[in-house]
Amino acid sequence: MQKPLLAKCSQDLWFGILISFIFCFVLLSFDYSSFLGVNNGANLLVNKQGHPVGFMKNQTISITTKSSPDSCAGRYIYIHDDLPSKFNYDLLKNCRLLTRGTDKPNLCPYFKNWGFGPEIDNSEGVLANKSWFSTNQFTLEVIFHNKMKQYNCLTKNSTLASAIYVPFYAGLDASLHLWDSNLTVRDSSARDLVHWLSTRPEWKTMWGRDHFMVAGRISWDFRRQTDEVSDWGSKLRFLPESMNMSMMSVEGSSWRNDYAIPYPTNFHPAEDSDVVQWQNRMRKLERPYLFTFAGAPRPDQQNSIRGKIIDQCLASSACKLIDCSSGGINCDNPASVMRVFQSSVYCLQPTGDSYTRKSAFDSILAGCIPVFFHPGTAYSQYLWHLPKNHTKYSVFIPVRYVEDLKEGSIEKTLVGISKEKELEMREEVIRLIPKLVYADPMSRLETEDAFDLSVKGILETIENVRNVIREGRDPSIGFADEDSYKYTFPKTLE
């Protein structure tokens, strides 16, 4: 009588075990697949701060669930760390040779502190007690590279990258060869670079249109259009491979794949409080001078208005001249220049050897409203960093020809600006300060600095090209075209 009952219990027991096994298997499968989000999953690597820095080799993006969003989606950058050292680090080792085009015996001291240069200890009460360095304007590519090494969305897997950064110190390399009469020598590094890049697997993804470089010299130094020895610069940006790439530099050319980003100033804050304290300090200063000009005349340049600007400044009791010519004030001393800029309402920023000036950023840093005479000095250059509405932060006195600058016209224009408008412009200038400085790479500011805005700008630019490709259109159309309109005088300024 017991055997049927035992048999039934046994069947129930095995049935229960089978159901439990199936249930557990389903749960495990559900958890695993929901965690991966895709069939071909990958393990995200994070550093101690929790920032995504890379992925396992040969795998794909995996974080797709709402509970674990990928904050770096669309922002991953791959650095060509395997770029031969002759294109960057060897130039720093041989820094004593990097003297051409500067008035320095050598640039070696300026590569200290991530390219910021030596710290400024005695600022004569003009500068803050910390975060100030003797920074050379030619070191931007070194500063940018060191900042990029700390970027929080780096990846070791190039297939995940939205952009490829090429850490070529183009400006430093150019300083060795720009004056060489042998064009083969002058172009040798450029040709070697594009050959190396074009043989890499990363190149074939978008044939270089997701690659970008950064230069500490103006873009014109890399755009020699002829093979005449007397023609200036290298041919880097006219090589077929390079034309597929983007370049950020302190001054963009008239070609669309060149982009301007700010000159490095001497202020490199390590904390947000450093920025806020400096901004508050600039708001409270007395400014006894109506306008200031810091610079030297250009008697060898027939189209330069500097001579007239100096004459107008000397003729006015409301102007302070900082004579940067030999025998004048040492304009390489940040305290000497900043002292006068901080005492001035307006700072005149005419063109110099090229359209742009580092002085424009120094003046903004001092809370001094910049006065521009040509649209190519700022308005058509720093589109990612300066407001589109130029009248919010600057004064424009258009001077197409030297004779257009009439005697006394500068002071007359500036006196005619209301006090209310002046205060509004100064507040906007001071508000811009954090966007125009390159912060300490070992810190994380809450506000975006010049580096952050530059990276955001180049990522958006490359993504626009990627969208063109997705739509089946030719990405080469318009990518590297010339756009001389950016240097023309508009009828009105927005």
Side-chain angles (χ1 to χ4, degrees):
M1 295 294 295
Q2 298 297 323
K3 288 183 179 180
L5 181 61
L6 288 174
K8 187 178 186 304
C9 290
S10 177
Q11 290 175 356
D12 291 343
L13 178 61
W14 282 107
F15 181 78
I17 292 174
L18 177 62
I19 294 297
S20 298
F21 176 80
I22 293 173
F23 182 73
C24 291
F25 178 81
V26 170
L27 282 180
L28 287 172
S29 299
F30 177 79
D31 286 344
Y32 184 70
S33 60
S34 64
F35 170 72
L36 286 179
V38 294
N39 293 328
N40 203 6
N43 294 322
L44 181 66
L45 305 179
V46 296
N47 60 16
K48 292 181 179 179
Q49 287 75 34
H51 300 301
V53 295
F55 287 79
M56 297 299 288
K57 187 177 180 181
N58 297 328
Q59 295 185 338
T60 55
I61 297 176
S62 62
I63 306 298
T64 57
T65 64
K66 292 183 179 180
S67 59
S68 302
D70 185 357
S71 62
C72 287
R75 298 171 54 224
Y76 284 109
I77 293 179
Y78 175 83
I79 302 179
H80 263 309
D81 285 325
D82 53 346
L83 188 70
S85 61
K86 72 175 185 177
F87 294 115
N88 42 42
Y89 297 117
D90 287 355
L91 292 166
L92 302 185
K93 293 177 182 177
N94 299 315
C95 55
R96 294 187 179 277
L97 302 176
L98 303 175
T99 57
R100 299 299 300 270
T102 75
D103 56 358
K104 309 297 180 189
N106 66 73
L107 292 177
C108 297
Y110 298 97
F111 297 132
K112 297 178 180 178
N113 299 312
W114 311 288
F116 294 157
E119 290 186 75
I120 299 176
D121 295 325
N122 181 13
S123 62
E124 306 168 20
V126 177
L127 311 177
N129 293 327
K130 58 181 180 178
S131 298
W132 286 82
F133 300 79
S134 294
T135 304
N136 187 281
Q137 70 182 56
F138 293 105
T139 63
L140 175 60
E141 52 215 20
V142 181
I143 293 171
F144 200 97
H145 189 189
N146 284 314
K147 293 271 289 180
M148 183 58 76
K149 291 176 183 177
Q150 304 302 319
Y151 178 63
N152 64 342
C153 289
L154 294 181
T155 177
K156 293 294 184 181
N157 186 345
S158 62
T159 64
L160 303 176
S162 295
I164 309 291
Y165 169 52
V166 182
F168 173 41
Y169 296 167
L172 299 183
D173 177 79
S175 69
L176 292 174
H177 308 298
L178 275 176
W179 290 262
D180 202 307
S181 59
N182 187 327
L183 296 184
T184 300
V185 173
R186 207 191 295 181
D187 297 335
S188 61
S189 293
R191 295 187 184 281
D192 289 348
L193 174 75
V194 298
H195 174 74
W196 187 89
L197 289 172
S198 62
T199 59
R200 302 287 299 173
E202 294 79 14
W203 185 261
K204 296 178 178 61
T205 302
M206 291 176 63
W207 302 105
R209 291 189 180 88
D210 55 352
H211 287 51
F212 71 94
M213 300 178 287
V214 177
R217 300 184 70 95
I218 64 174
S219 295
W220 300 99
D221 288 347
F222 313 101
R223 286 195 175 273
R224 191 186 76 249
Q225 299 190 57
T226 74
D227 286 331
E228 296 293 329
V229 173
S230 59
D231 200 358
W232 176 256
S234 80
K235 218 169 185 177
L236 169 64
R237 297 297 284 135
F238 284 124
L239 297 177
E241 298 87 352
S242 181
M243 290 176 68
N244 281 6
M245 301 169 62
S246 299
M247 173 181 274
M248 296 187 286
S249 62
V250 292
E251 178 179 322
S253 69
S254 58
W255 277 265
R256 291 181 177 177
N257 56 340
D258 285 340
Y259 304 92
I261 61 177
Y263 283 85
T265 64
N266 301 97
F267 184 41
H268 305 286
E271 300 176 0
D272 289 288
S273 59
D274 295 342
V275 180
V276 173
Q277 289 172 10
W278 180 257
Q279 289 175 303
N280 290 335
R281 184 175 174 179
M282 294 305 101
R283 290 187 177 97
K284 298 174 182 177
L285 292 174
E286 294 292 328
R287 298 180 184 269
Y289 302 113
L290 177 63
F291 61 110
T292 285
F293 174 61
R298 294 287 193 274
D300 56 330
Q301 297 179 10
Q302 293 183 352
N303 295 324
S304 175
I305 63 173
R306 287 188 171 211
K308 283 199 168 187
I309 286 177
I310 291 173
D311 290 342
Q312 290 197 29
C313 187
L314 291 173
S316 172
S317 60
C319 183
K320 177 66 176 178
L321 176 66
I322 306 177
D323 181 9
C324 296
S325 59
S326 58
I329 295 176
N330 179 14
C331 291
D332 284 337
N333 183 346
S336 299
V337 176
M338 293 296 285
R339 178 186 289 107
V340 181
F341 282 180
Q342 290 173 18
S343 302
S344 306
V345 177
Y346 300 99
C347 288
L348 309 184
Q349 302 296 344
T351 58
D353 295 325
S354 66
Y355 291 103
T356 62
R357 302 185 76 205
K358 175 181 178 293
S359 177
F361 296 97
D362 291 334
S363 66
I364 292 175
L365 190 57
C368 188
I369 302 165
V371 180
F372 298 115
F373 300 86
H374 193 288
T377 305
Y379 303 151
S380 61
Q381 294 284 348
Y382 309 100
L383 304 181
W384 299 333
H385 298 79
L386 296 176
K388 182 179 180 181
N389 185 348
H390 315 303
T391 61
K392 291 179 64 176
Y393 72 96
S394 67
V395 176
F396 183 55
I397 303 176
V399 181
R400 292 176 176 82
Y401 310 102
V402 177
E403 55 268 22
D404 291 345
L405 191 61
K406 305 301 181 184
E407 184 176 346
S409 60
I410 297 175
E411 183 172 358
K412 181 179 179 180
T413 299
L414 300 179
V415 168
I417 299 173
S418 69
K419 190 67 176 179
E420 180 183 11
K421 178 61 176 176
E422 172 197 317
L423 293 175
E424 289 176 356
M425 284 191 290
R426 183 181 304 127
E427 182 56 34
E428 181 66 16
V429 164
I430 292 173
R431 189 188 68 81
L432 286 173
I433 290 175
K435 296 182 177 182
L436 304 180
V437 299
Y438 295 91
D440 184 331
M442 305 309 292
S443 67
R444 295 285 185 194
L445 297 187
E446 291 296 323
T447 54
E448 292 179 312
D449 71 347
F451 170 84
D452 295 324
L453 292 174
S454 300
V455 170
K456 180 185 292 185
I458 199 66
L459 285 171
E460 290 177 355
T461 299
I462 294 172
E463 185 59 25
N464 288 338
V465 177
R466 195 173 277 113
N467 287 333
V468 168
I469 296 173
R470 291 190 186 109
E471 293 169 3
R473 293 183 286 140
D474 186 351
S476 67
I477 297 177
F479 182 84
D481 287 359
E482 188 173 8
D483 182 16
S484 57
Y485 176 77
K486 69 192 296 185
Y487 293 107
T488 60
F489 286 81
K491 294 181 180 179
T492 59
L493 287 174
E494 295 182 4

